[in-house]
Amino acid sequence: MKVVAFAGGVGGAKLADGLARCLSPHELTMVVNSGDDFVHFGLKICPDLDTVCYTLAGLANPETGWGRAGETWNTLSALRVLGAPTWFQLGDQDLATHLERTRRLSEGETLSEVTHSFCERWGIAHRVLPMTNEAVQTIVETEIGDLSFQEYFVKYRFEPAVRGFRFEGATRATPAPGVLEAIAACDVVIFCPSNPWVSIDPILAIPAIRQAILRARVIAVSPIVGGKALKGPAAKMFAEIGIPPSAQAVALHYGSLLKGFILDRVDAEEEMEIRSLGLRTLVTDTVMKTIADRQRLAQEILTFVQAEFLS
Ligand code: FO1
């Protein structure tokens, strides 16, 4: 089965890893949000791409989900002594990624090329594509003003109430090479259990990707379980936008883009209402605590797609 997974952040990376354990490299392409990317200390930081790649390579920090396992923080400590901004925690090994990426970009390589090369070095056989090689910046419009995503998320710990979102540069951006081809050739596009507002929407804000998606079979996995986000501000964002957070709210958010929806057993009572939107549904355990959970959920999703859409 040919699958394209849209991902951003820790939940998305976990399902991407589960899918990579079930599908061969020619069957799976990951398209990753780059709206969170920013420049810090002159370095190009791509948190979602790195989270997906570290997770696939088995290098991710198991406690945080972002950054690297067994990390040391010598550079950050030395920066603190100098009075430098240390709100964004950059580990020593992680810094090597940003240094080398920045060097290669400054020599004219594209983000896709750098990502492909890093994947080869880290032993990742599946295709990981940034959504675009061009600059797209997620801006969170909040009660204290407009904030870049990392300022909102890390510096302000997603405390300011959200009023809306902008994806600067998205309408001019073109998809990275391979993205449209993968969508056109796939059996299903899976929106991973990533934040709809700031992980999946930035990808969909690129006009050519949205157009391609309209012709594809798309299913989504709810990142909201029991009215709460497993990690991060997704539920808080729904509430602040004026929508009670629920699996159904996620299904409605993606609306007519979807053909199928995966929700947690905890939310089983929402299934009928979601079905009444015209969606096929799978109710299962969606919380991925272990690597076995990732693989089991991915396999259940693939079996669901096969049975509901491809048989
Ligand atoms: N998240 C935090 O909550 N605090 C941090 O200091 C932090 C540093 C960081 C460094 C590299 C990286 O790749 C990710 C990092 N993240 C940090 C996570 C990141 O902000 C979020 O995972 C995503 O942008 C949300 O999708």
Side-chain angles (χ1 to χ4, degrees), residues 8-10 33 36-38 45-51 54 64-67 73 86-91 94 98 101 149-150 153-155 157-158 195 198-199 231 233:
V10 175
N33 172 39
D36 294 13
D37 295 7
F38 76 131
I45 320 261
C46 304
D48 284 0
L49 267 179
D50 290 345
T51 298
Y54 291 160
T64 55
W66 53 265
W73 304 93
T86 52
W87 57 269
F88 195 78
Q89 296 187 55
L90 293 169
D94 191 33
H98 314 313
R101 176 167 42 224
F149 182 77
Q150 297 302 335
F153 190 85
V154 180
K155 195 172 185 179
R157 297 161 203 267
F158 47 88
N195 186 316
V198 290
S199 291
K231 199 168 169 45

Side-chain angles (χ1 to χ4, degrees), residues 187-188 217-219 258-261 278-281 301 303-311:
D187 295 299
V188 67
R217 180 182 295 115
V218 183
I219 65 170
L258 298 184
K259 299 275 188 300
F261 195 76
L279 304 181
R280 313 276 176 92
T281 50
I301 293 169
T303 304
F304 163 74
V305 172
Q306 183 66 47
E308 293 287 339
F309 301 107
L310 305 179
S311 298

Side-chain angles (χ1 to χ4, degrees), residues 33 131 138 165 167 170 191 195-206 210 253-254 257:
N33 172 39
M131 64 189 197
T138 297
F165 307 91
F167 309 112
F191 293 173
N195 186 316
W197 302 99
V198 290
S199 291
I200 304 297
D201 282 0
I203 308 178
L204 298 174
I206 297 175
R210 198 173 185 92
H253 179 87
Y254 294 129
L257 295 180

Side-chain angles (χ1 to χ4, degrees), residues 24 35 51 74 77 84 86 94 109 120 137-138 154 196 208 212 259 268 286 298:
S24 66
T51 298
N74 296 314
S77 304
T86 52
D94 191 33
E109 281 185 50
E120 281 188 332
Q137 212 195 356
T138 297
V154 180
K259 299 275 188 300
T286 62

Side-chain angles (χ1 to χ4, degrees), residues 224-245:
I224 302 280
V225 174
K228 296 195 174 77
L230 294 170
K231 199 168 169 45
K236 184 173 178 283
M237 287 173 169
F238 271 101
E240 288 165 359
I241 297 288
I243 306 165

Side-chain angles (χ1 to χ4, degrees), residues 6-193:
F6 281 17
V10 175
K14 286 182 178 174
L15 184 60
D17 182 48
L19 290 165
R21 289 168 189 275
C22 299
L23 295 166
S24 66
H26 80 270
E27 289 178 301
L28 176 64
T29 301
M30 267 79 68
V31 176
V32 181
N33 172 39
S34 60
D36 294 13
D37 295 7
F38 76 131
V39 174
H40 196 48
F41 292 108
L43 301 176
K44 170 85 164 172
I45 320 261
C46 304
D48 284 0
L49 267 179
D50 290 345
T51 298
V52 169
C53 289
Y54 291 160
T55 303
L56 290 172
L59 297 171
N61 180 328
E63 272 97 55
T64 55
W66 53 265
R68 293 191 50 160
E71 188 56 284
T72 56
W73 304 93
N74 296 314
T75 311
L76 196 75
S77 304
L79 284 167
R80 195 169 286 120
V81 172
L82 297 175
T86 52
W87 57 269
F88 195 78
Q89 296 187 55
L90 293 169
D92 297 324
Q93 297 182 82
D94 191 33
L95 266 166
T97 305
H98 314 313
L99 282 165
E100 178 59 3
R101 176 167 42 224
T102 306
R103 185 190 71 78
R104 290 191 187 201
L105 291 172
S106 74
E107 298 209 331
E109 281 185 50
T110 64
L111 185 58
S112 310
E113 287 165 348
V114 177
T115 305
H116 178 69
S117 166
F118 285 6
C119 283
E120 281 188 332
R121 295 274 168 171
W122 287 326
I124 300 168
H126 295 81
R127 222 149 49 123
V128 181
L129 304 177
M131 64 189 197
T132 178
N133 283 325
E134 292 144 43
V136 173
Q137 212 195 356
T138 297
I139 302 292
V140 186
E141 299 164 351
T142 77
E143 60 184 352
I144 62 162
D146 290 355
L147 298 172
S148 72
F149 182 77
Q150 297 302 335
E151 280 183 301
Y152 163 78
F153 190 85
V154 180
K155 195 172 185 179
Y156 291 94
R157 297 161 203 267
F158 47 88
E159 280 163 8
V162 165
R163 307 245 192 272
F165 307 91
R166 286 199 314 277
F167 309 112
E168 286 186 348
T171 51
R172 298 188 294 280
T174 54
V179 171
L180 296 182
E181 295 81 350
I183 296 171
C186 76
D187 295 299
V188 67
V189 175
I190 302 175
F191 293 173
C192 287

